Amino acid sequence: MSTRVLIAGGGIGGLTAALACARAGCDVRLFERAAEFGEVGAGIQIGPNVVRVLHGMGLERDLARVAAFPHRLQVRNAVSGRELGVLPLGERAVRLYGAPYATIHRADLHALLLHPLQRDGAVRLALGNWLASYEDRGRVVTLETTEGLEVEGDVLIGADGLWSRVRELMLNDGAPRVSGHLAYRAMLPQHSLPQHLRSHQVTAWLGPRLHVVQYPVRGGDWLNVVAIVHGDFNGDLHGWDHGANAADLQHAMGSTCQPLQELIAAVPDWRLWALCDRHPMQGAWQQARGLVALLGDAAHPMRPYLAQGAGMAIEDAEQLGRSIVLERLPMGERLQHYANRRWQRCARVQARSIRNGEIFHSEGIVRWGRDAVLRVFGERVLDVPWLYAGPR
């Protein structure tokens, strides 16, 4: 009999896990809280390490159809506007890391992963069903949904995001921590912008206690803009798609340079969410116990300052697909193999993301030193070979 895999969560990580496990010959059932699939409008960056995984899953042609592939990443001082450093992408990324650097609308990536699951019918998708509890019985794990449905499987995967119910039951380690950073995001058609504000590269503007990132999505036809500032949030932390006041963001921009001010002013509507994360992982025990394992934000939520949140979930899913079919091992040991292969890399990305945020938002002499280093060693500082080369 094929391995019965139960997956809680139908986001990017959950869908990739379902695809990886189905293609490994598993019998997969996925449970999603929402009554229908959908992803809110936000862009994400996916480095060569992630693009290579998607290519390996047979999605290269579909990805090329909906993503953008910027030719360079530029870093600028948000106050002076001066260029600090450049990292060539494009063919350089393919030559060094075997795949390009891509930027994509989150909804497009979600649809790209969902389509083969719906087309092939290899995964049973249960919408409007959410995990209420589970019981690990040693040989099988039983899941009960909030609708009263009981399902038995060989393994349960918690891909249910930052506020993971599976993690709560498995680790009982409290809520995520609030970072004190607010992210304003927007996407708009490039043709709606003045010509001088349109862009087909990744640009990061670094300022005191803030930074802004812009890059193309949807084949370059749209521009994604994310502005992150320090501040408090009084809304629902569980949600990440709140209305935003453009005047608040413009005030937070302070004395930033004219080109950046023009970009912010050109965006008619912003959405807001408060950034939360957890401390970097301390061991494999935080990613798998018995017949239950965590994946993506459920296991290692991270700040977006290395642009690898979705990437680590996709890498997790690929490794899960490899580990879960190690038939020489009992199922619990297969999940431990998965966790052992993933936790240290994810912890390193978590820690690097925190550190990057400190550097991006630095003030005083640290900010001066950052700019000086970028001007002299731009490409060497901006490249991340240990990350983009993929896990070993």
Side-chain angles (χ1 to χ4, degrees):
M1 294 179 62
S2 60
T3 300
R4 296 164 298 173
V5 179
L6 310 179
I7 300 175
I12 288 170
L15 291 184
T16 313
L19 190 59
C21 291
R23 293 187 173 181
C26 300
D27 176 13
V28 183
R29 294 191 66 172
L30 184 146
F31 300 85
E32 165 56 35
R33 182 199 306 268
E36 60 182 9
F37 283 113
E39 280 284 333
V40 295
I44 56 176
Q45 301 177 64
I46 48 177
N49 55 308
V50 187
V51 174
R52 195 166 53 250
V53 173
L54 296 175
H55 285 183
M57 290 183 167
L59 301 173
E60 180 173 0
R61 185 170 299 177
D62 291 336
L63 181 65
R65 181 174 49 82
V66 297
F69 299 90
H71 62 284
R72 72 200 293 260
L73 184 154
Q74 174 195 50
V75 179
R76 299 177 67 174
N77 184 299
V79 177
S80 69
R82 181 178 181 180
E83 181 179 275
L84 300 175
V86 170
L87 175 65
L89 301 174
E91 289 302 319
R92 178 185 183 276
V94 175
R95 184 178 73 255
L96 293 179
Y97 305 119
Y101 193 104
T103 52
I104 188 170
H105 190 315
R106 182 178 291 270
D108 291 341
L109 178 56
H110 192 268
L112 182 150
L113 294 165
L114 179 61
H115 175 69
L117 299 180
Q118 294 176 323
R119 179 195 63 209
D120 301 338
V123 174
R124 286 176 284 177
L125 305 172
L127 302 182
N129 273 280
W130 198 236
L131 182 141
S133 62
Y134 73 80
E135 183 179 358
D136 185 344
R137 300 177 179 176
R139 291 183 176 270
V140 295
V141 58
T142 302
L143 172 155
E144 182 175 352
T145 74
T146 53
E147 302 298 312
L149 178 67
E150 288 193 8
V151 184
E152 186 176 276
D154 297 306
V155 59
L156 169 63
I157 305 301
D160 47 343
L162 176 67
W163 302 93
S164 169
R165 174 63 173 161
V166 178
R167 183 184 183 118
E168 179 184 358
L169 296 169
M170 176 177 146
L171 298 179
N172 191 28
D173 59 350
R177 62 180 180 177
V178 180
S179 69
H181 297 179
L182 304 176
Y184 292 79
R185 58 179 173 77
M187 280 202 317
L188 63 165
Q190 298 249 30
H191 67 72
S192 70
L193 292 168
Q195 186 66 43
H196 69 283
L197 293 180
R198 301 175 192 178
S199 177
H200 293 278
Q201 66 178 10
V202 181
T203 301
W205 306 78
L206 308 185
R209 295 171 61 84
L210 65 87
H211 82 282
V212 178
V213 180
Q214 62 181 85
Y215 51 82
V217 294
R218 294 195 156 165
D221 292 339
W222 288 62
L223 187 69
N224 185 80
V225 185
V226 181
I228 299 181
V229 302
H230 292 208
D232 298 322
F233 182 73
N234 297 319
D236 177 16
L237 289 172
H238 287 74
W240 69 290
D241 188 33
H242 302 276
N245 187 330
D248 291 341
L249 176 58
Q250 290 172 356
H251 176 75
M253 287 293 102
S255 59
T256 53
C257 64
Q258 185 64 28
L260 181 54
Q261 295 274 3
E262 288 183 21
L263 174 65
I264 298 300
V267 177
D269 297 297
W270 295 91
R271 306 299 294 177
L272 172 67
W273 81 95
L275 299 180
C276 300
D277 70 345
R278 291 184 183 272
H279 292 286
M281 298 179 72
Q282 299 297 307
W285 59 272
Q286 290 179 302
Q287 196 149 4
R289 287 188 178 185
L291 301 180
V292 183
L294 301 176
L295 180 150
D297 282 351
H300 40 71
M302 58 190 65
R303 301 180 189 185
Y305 307 137
L306 197 53
Q308 284 286 325
M312 289 301 101
I314 291 170
E315 282 192 6
D316 280 353
E318 180 193 39
Q319 183 59 55
L320 177 67
R322 295 176 184 273
S323 296
I324 211 163
V325 293
L326 296 175
E327 296 182 354
R328 68 184 185 277
L329 299 176
M331 183 55 68
E333 293 184 26
R334 298 183 207 180
L335 294 186
Q336 282 301 311
H337 180 271
Y338 155 73
N340 287 335
R341 293 297 299 266
R342 293 300 303 155
W343 81 267
Q344 288 177 306
R345 177 168 169 85
C346 293
R348 186 177 184 182
V349 174
Q350 285 178 292
R352 178 67 176 267
S353 298
I354 293 170
R355 178 60 178 155
N356 275 8
E358 295 170 349
I359 294 170
F360 290 179
H361 296 184
S362 59
E363 302 177 272
I365 193 170
V366 176
R367 176 180 162 218
W368 179 88
R370 175 203 68 197
D371 290 2
V373 169
L374 281 169
R375 284 194 295 267
V376 176
F377 302 106
E379 183 173 322
R380 288 180 55 189
V381 172
L382 295 171
D383 200 8
V384 197
W386 65 266
L387 178 62
Y388 296 150
R392 296 182 178 181

